[in-house]
Amino acid sequence: MAELAAIAQDTRAWACYDCGKCTATCPLVRAGARYSPRRHVLATNQGKRPANSGEGTLFDCLTCKLCDTRCPVGVEYTELVLKLRELAHRDGVEVECPHGGALQSAMRIMAKGEMAQDRLGWLEADMLTEPDEGELFLWTGCTMYYDAFFPEFEMDSIAGTKAAVRLLNKLGIAPVVSPDERCCGHDLLWNGDVKHFEMLARHNVKLVEASGADTLVVPCAECLRTFKRDYGPFFSGKKPRMLHLTEFLSENLDKLPMTNGASQRVTYQDPCRLGRHLGVYDAPRAVLNAVPGLELAEMRHHGSASTCCAGGTWSNCDRYSKQIQVNRLREARQTMAPVMVTACPKCQVHFKCAMQDPNLKDEITIELRDVAEIIAASLE
Amino acid sequence: MTKAKTTITDQPVTATGTETWQPRILVFACNWCSYAGADTAGVGRMEHEPHFRMIRVMCSGRIQPAFVLKAFEKGADGVLVSGCHFGDCHYIFGNERAVEQFDKTMNMVKLLGIEPGRLRLEWISAAEGIRFAEIINEFTEQVRQLGPSPLSSKRLDDLRIEEEIDG
């Protein structure tokens, strides 16, 4: 009871006046799911824990934060879900993980193991990087794992990571790219597994601190959110400056010789972690607009109203997620842009999955690229 | 959704006990061929290494990366995936699915830094009791050479960290 009261206090759940805007806004509900954020808030305020089984549980939430932006009294529903999932996990509830929990197992193996990962196999001869010390740390994220795990989608999310290295090299920077990097723990945290999250957080923070870098550049929206919002207590000294790759590039646009006009139309998918979680909307658009000849066409829902890829934490995938993805891809196709640009590898995974549908394939297929790839292509 | 509290084996885990150490291997076997192959080995009283636990599944196509990675996460020293020979699958193409899943698993295992020798795919038919015994002996020896999985010896540290967080 006291625990729930403290959570209600921290997340402002107590302020809820039952208007139901959250439920009306929720992408899941709009896709037809039986799900109600409002009832979860209500239950918390009544000192009850939302049910952990059946339809409409806490674990269905996409944590996309759309409801938070619409709440008239500022209830942080997404934070509430995070805290309640932590309690559920403590009571032994495990998420019904899509992919059978394989990715969660990989994360826990990284958290526990002293094994040397083979995560830098993608580095190419022309790329200049430092293995352990330097001024700028490039946090690559787990794109190599996604490419290995989803061969059926012909994933090439590593291309974004490679482009990030090349862009930094072009700016005269040899970033630290560490072979000891581990998963940031984002998904474990959002599944409620705080224990393994903390093991990963301690390791990763130590790694970044030991590098002596004063700037941390992250091309993955989820890793950045985790570093900025969740790693706070683990830093012992001065925190480095933490930026998304597009933020860093937008500061250095004058130094990037973007000569190769792309002359194409693209549309931009705001990742929920970068947009609503961290408030970065302008930087990716600024760098895209700086490419000569590139036309940025916005989708109907963009910026803070953007729809997410419906699978952010590897804890929720069902026909409603699928419907959300299909609707989003239709919006993208309506812009007449042949390419959808995003700043998070997971958006790529989930949209590519939706595109496998044999009945809808022709209507929703669109080329997916990381924003770094587009910028790097304009340099050559 | 309840958390399953199971361990792969009841053998005591020691961090340094290399003298008495024996590998702990998990074998996935399909109902129609490999499991029956193991049965044939048993009925024929063939001797083989005993350091494995077997999980029977209806078809090797069911064995997803999640199963294997979970086994490694929980400290298995080796994982053997087995099914019917090509053309013999009870469900016509189940073992072709098994190969796809296995390749995916192997990709992940290599990236994670687990030695590829700890994971193996073999086809064993119901009649091949001798082959079953040979493969088990060979694989056990291979895993024995590799030594304990870094994840199994980490169990003790894991517990310590747990205490640290709880206390």
Side-chain angles (χ1 to χ4, degrees), chain A residues 1-210:
Chain A
M1 265 306 261
E3 215 165 27
L4 283 178
I7 289 174
Q9 176 78 37
D10 292 348
T11 59
R12 282 186 56 82
W14 61 271
C16 172
Y17 61 28
D18 227 13
C19 70
K21 273 197 176 119
C22 45
T23 307
T25 305
C26 181
L28 277 172
V29 177
R30 294 173 75 90
R34 279 175 57 192
Y35 182 73
S36 172
R38 182 186 63 85
R39 290 176 77 169
H40 291 163
V41 175
L42 200 62
T44 311
N45 287 341
Q46 290 169 339
K48 284 185 264 177
R49 296 264 296 278
N52 285 322
S53 57
E55 257 190 81
T57 72
L58 289 174
F59 290 96
D60 289 351
C61 176
L62 307 172
T63 66
C64 76
K65 220 171 161 65
L66 188 59
C67 53
D68 291 9
T69 64
R70 305 273 163 88
C71 178
V73 291
V75 174
E76 290 173 16
Y77 178 71
T78 315
E79 274 312 295
L80 177 71
V81 165
L82 180 62
K83 299 230 163 96
L84 291 177
R85 283 185 185 178
E86 198 180 313
L87 294 187
H89 188 273
R90 203 181 58 193
D91 294 350
V93 179
E94 264 188 13
V95 195
E96 284 169 6
C97 310
H99 314 293
L103 293 144
Q104 277 85 349
S105 278
M107 293 166 208
R108 290 195 187 107
I109 289 174
M110 279 192 241
K112 285 177 182 180
E114 291 291 309
M115 286 166 305
Q117 294 177 70
D118 178 27
R119 62 183 297 142
L120 295 186
W122 50 273
L123 275 178
E124 286 171 21
D126 64 316
M127 294 176 184
L128 301 174
T129 59
E130 297 288 338
D132 37 44
E133 282 182 19
E135 277 173 20
L136 187 142
F137 199 115
L138 177 69
W139 188 264
T140 59
C142 290
T143 47
M144 60 297 282
Y145 282 93
Y146 298 153
D147 291 1
F149 194 72
F150 298 105
E152 64 272 35
F153 305 160
E154 290 169 4
M155 282 294 297
D156 190 21
S157 56
I158 199 73
T161 318
K162 285 183 187 172
V165 177
R166 293 219 164 91
L167 284 166
L168 291 171
N169 285 173
K170 207 74 173 180
L171 290 168
I173 301 163
V176 181
V177 175
S178 172
D180 295 328
E181 192 181 308
R182 292 186 193 164
C183 163
C184 67
H186 169 275
D187 305 314
L188 291 178
L189 179 66
W190 287 91
N191 292 172
D193 186 352
V194 183
K195 184 183 107 182
H196 288 100
F197 166 75
E198 290 191 0
M199 287 157 80
L200 288 165
R202 287 205 182 96
H203 171 87
N204 289 334
V205 166
K206 213 187 274 173
L207 191 68
V208 173
E209 283 185 336

Side-chain angles (χ1 to χ4, degrees), chain A residues 328-355:
Chain A
R328 186 57 167 168
L329 287 167
R330 286 214 166 101
E331 274 185 29
R333 284 283 294 260
Q334 276 161 13
T335 64
M336 307 302 281
V339 183
M340 188 190 206
V341 183
T342 180
C344 178
K346 257 192 217 162
C347 298
Q348 291 195 37
V349 174
H350 293 117
F351 287 129
K352 282 211 170 144
C353 174
M355 286 180 211

Side-chain angles (χ1 to χ4, degrees), chain B residues 54-66:
Chain B
M54 194 173 239
I55 295 180
R56 180 173 56 161
V57 290
M58 284 312 282
C59 177
S60 55
R62 179 68 183 93
I63 301 155
Q64 295 180 339

